[in-house]
Amino acid sequence: MRKQLHRPVVTIANDHLSVLKSLIRAKEISTKIAVTCYDHIPEWVGVFAELLNVTITPILFTTTREHVQGITQAIRQGAEVIVGGGICSEVAKGHGCPAVIVMPSLGTLERAIDEAINIANSMRRDNERLAWINGVMEAMQNGIIGITQDNKIFLKNNAVCQFLPQLKGDSLSASLRKKL
């Protein structure tokens, strides 16, 4: 999501206790468990498998496509219950396989909400500063223009637009670059 949105995203990471509780529920269904693991296989996989006396097959993924393919493959290879997030439950049920959703603890949710509030407050402060700077720029009689190295306009005020009426859009034309 971070790559797609280009915005801060709060991750609600599952804590070990939440995962362990879900594995205990999964063991009531079967000892052949597959667990979805984003980006890397955590070290607790082997420890929890030994502790619960179950087989845990990690499903490593970084994209939704890998996630779906991994669940499908794990079921074909004998996994009888899938443990992971809400999406994994839907995919597993589509294959006739039960799933247990890992529910984050209250503390994890509280930390995520605090982080989201901090990000929102920081973005609000940044927007207030930007509005102030834009106000100052628009009040200036001199024309101001900001151009990136690839000739994209990222900043301009009304004075520069009056001085250069041909300044349209977000890119600088070749003829205008020569003038500047």
Side-chain angles (χ1 to χ4, degrees), residues 71-143:
I71 293 168
T72 303
Q73 183 178 357
I75 293 169
R76 285 186 187 143
Q77 293 175 347
E80 295 177 353
V81 62
I82 308 295
V83 174
I87 294 172
C88 90
S89 175
E90 295 301 316
V91 175
K93 287 178 184 173
H95 290 285
C97 183
V100 175
I101 299 173
V102 179
M103 298 302 291
S105 68
L106 185 59
T108 298
L109 291 174
E110 287 172 344
R111 284 187 296 278
I113 290 168
D114 285 344
E115 184 179 346
I117 289 169
N118 287 336
I119 289 170
N121 287 336
S122 176
M123 290 175 76
R124 181 186 46 76
R125 285 189 301 274
D126 289 348
N127 286 337
E128 288 170 354
R129 287 183 193 115
L130 184 59
W132 183 83
I133 289 169
N134 284 334
V136 169
M137 277 185 26
E138 290 305 328
M140 295 181 73
Q141 293 177 356
N142 294 335

Side-chain angles (χ1 to χ4, degrees), residues 30-114:
S30 174
T31 58
K32 296 177 183 176
I33 303 167
V35 179
T36 59
C37 304
Y38 181 77
D39 190 42
H40 69 283
I41 298 172
E43 58 187 78
W44 54 254
V45 170
V47 174
F48 288 174
E50 188 176 328
L51 178 69
L52 298 172
N53 194 28
V54 296
T55 301
I56 298 177
T57 303
I59 300 169
L60 186 62
F61 73 97
T62 56
T63 66
T64 301
R65 184 174 181 216
E66 290 174 353
H67 194 224
V68 171
Q69 288 174 340
I71 293 168
T72 303
Q73 183 178 357
I75 293 169
R76 285 186 187 143
Q77 293 175 347
E80 295 177 353
V81 62
I82 308 295
V83 174
I87 294 172
C88 90
S89 175
E90 295 301 316
V91 175
K93 287 178 184 173
H95 290 285
C97 183
V100 175
I101 299 173
V102 179
M103 298 302 291
S105 68
L106 185 59
T108 298
L109 291 174
E110 287 172 344
R111 284 187 296 278
I113 290 168
D114 285 344

Side-chain angles (χ1 to χ4, degrees), residues 13-37:
N14 291 316
D15 58 280
H16 294 88
L17 184 57
S18 297
V19 173
L20 182 58
K21 287 178 179 179
S22 296
L23 289 169
I24 291 168
R25 288 196 317 271
K27 182 181 177 182
E28 294 170 2
I29 299 168
S30 174
T31 58
K32 296 177 183 176
I33 303 167
V35 179
T36 59
C37 304

